[in-house]
Amino acid sequence: MVKRTERTRAVLFSFLSPQLLALEKLNLKIVSCERCPRLRMWCEEVAKVKRAAFANETYWGKPIPNFGDPNADILIVGLAPAAHGANRTGRMFTGDRSGQWLYRALYQAGLANQPTYEYADDGLRLHRVMITAVNHCAPPDNKTTPDEIENCSEYLIRTFTEREWRAILCLGGIAWGQTHRVLGIRPVPKFGNGAETLGEIPILGSYHPSQQNTFTGRLTESMLAKTMTRLVQLADRH
């Protein structure tokens, strides 16, 4: 059965474009990752216990693959999946309030085909954009350890290097710092909303669209929309 599965996969891969082939191979490795026992145990436990509102749903419960346009030239880097968001739906920023803000802003910037999302098969398509994360597993209390960030760094490095990006958007300070470190940019510039590093690949910073930022007004929809406009400008200029 294993040999047949591998042979079938090889036949399917032979029909893919180089960009889609690279994405599929990377995503397969991400989804099968077992490097962080604490995170794997947590994600699986959440998938079993579930939240009452989603009691009838089948949780994904595995590492979350990259999501977006196979021909993307803009990369968005988040922190980690939400326990009852992407860990439930299996798609980046899908199933939580952060995704509502992000995908609405992408749609307004012409980078998504619809402003709303619900599940991984809801028809949402991104244009020019790929979404990845520092960590691909949901962490307890939304906090990852330095070792867990390091364990996941291979996937971020491969995401950075397997194609030419015209611009990168980092959502939050951890994504900002890890992106600069992985790209070898030292010292790491100070993070802030609208911060920019205009090097070989332009890097733009934004506060993460999490509830602690959106509910308090630290990040507004107009601020996020302005960031998306700037992101497209940087990509087009590059």
Side-chain angles (χ1 to χ4, degrees), residues 160-224:
F160 285 151
T161 59
E162 288 187 352
R163 70 178 63 208
E164 294 185 3
W165 299 104
R166 293 181 177 271
I168 298 173
L169 171 62
C170 299
L171 299 176
I174 293 177
W176 173 265
Q178 185 66 357
T179 292
H180 283 79
R181 283 188 286 271
V182 167
L183 292 177
I185 300 173
R186 305 293 177 89
V188 176
K190 183 179 180 180
F191 171 74
N193 196 71
E196 296 183 7
T197 301
L198 301 179
E200 183 177 349
I201 305 174
I203 303 172
L204 181 62
S206 169
Y207 295 141
H208 193 285
S210 58
Q211 293 185 46
Q212 61 258 41
N213 288 327
T214 59
F215 279 12
T216 61
R218 189 172 187 233
L219 179 67
T220 65
E221 292 205 55
S222 62
M223 290 167 63
L224 191 55

Side-chain angles (χ1 to χ4, degrees), residues 5-50:
T5 301
E6 291 176 349
R7 188 160 53 246
T8 301
R9 184 178 295 161
V11 172
L12 292 173
F13 277 176
S14 67
F15 291 97
L16 301 179
S17 68
Q19 294 89 345
L20 186 54
L21 177 60
L23 174 62
E24 290 296 326
K25 285 185 174 181
L26 176 56
N27 278 345
L28 283 172
K29 189 164 186 179
I30 290 172
V31 170
S32 62
C33 183
E34 297 283 346
R35 295 179 180 178
C36 301
R38 183 184 79 108
L39 299 186
R40 296 307 319 126
M41 289 178 61
W42 168 253
C43 291
E44 291 170 4
E45 179 65 18
V46 169
K48 291 177 182 178
V49 177
K50 305 180 182 180

Side-chain angles (χ1 to χ4, degrees), residues 53-198:
F54 310 121
N56 295 325
E57 296 187 21
T58 299
Y59 275 53
W60 173 260
K62 293 176 285 189
I64 309 302
N66 291 344
F67 167 64
D69 184 349
N71 299 309
D73 59 3
I74 296 172
L75 182 66
I76 296 178
V77 183
L79 173 55
H84 300 281
N87 186 57
R88 170 173 59 90
T89 63
R91 190 176 70 188
M92 290 282 181
F93 282 97
T94 301
D96 58 32
R97 291 183 181 274
S98 296
Q100 291 178 352
W101 279 63
L102 178 62
Y103 288 128
R104 190 159 53 234
L106 289 172
Y107 173 75
Q108 293 170 350
L111 301 174
N113 69 329
Q114 60 189 47
T116 58
Y117 74 101
E118 291 294 336
Y119 300 98
D121 58 354
D122 58 10
L124 176 65
R125 299 289 182 270
L126 301 185
H127 171 60
R128 296 188 66 181
V129 171
M130 183 74 65
I131 302 178
T132 190
V134 171
N135 278 103
H136 288 265
C137 292
D141 300 320
N142 294 320
K143 295 179 180 179
T144 57
T145 68
D147 285 345
E148 289 163 351
I149 290 175
E150 179 60 28
N151 287 343
C152 225
S153 63
E154 175 194 342
Y155 308 129
L156 192 59
I157 292 170
R158 287 186 57 178
T159 299
F160 285 151
T161 59
E162 288 187 352
R163 70 178 63 208
E164 294 185 3
W165 299 104
R166 293 181 177 271
I168 298 173
L169 171 62
C170 299
L171 299 176
I174 293 177
W176 173 265
Q178 185 66 357
T179 292
H180 283 79
R181 283 188 286 271
V182 167
L183 292 177
I185 300 173
R186 305 293 177 89
V188 176
K190 183 179 180 180
F191 171 74
N193 196 71
E196 296 183 7
T197 301
L198 301 179

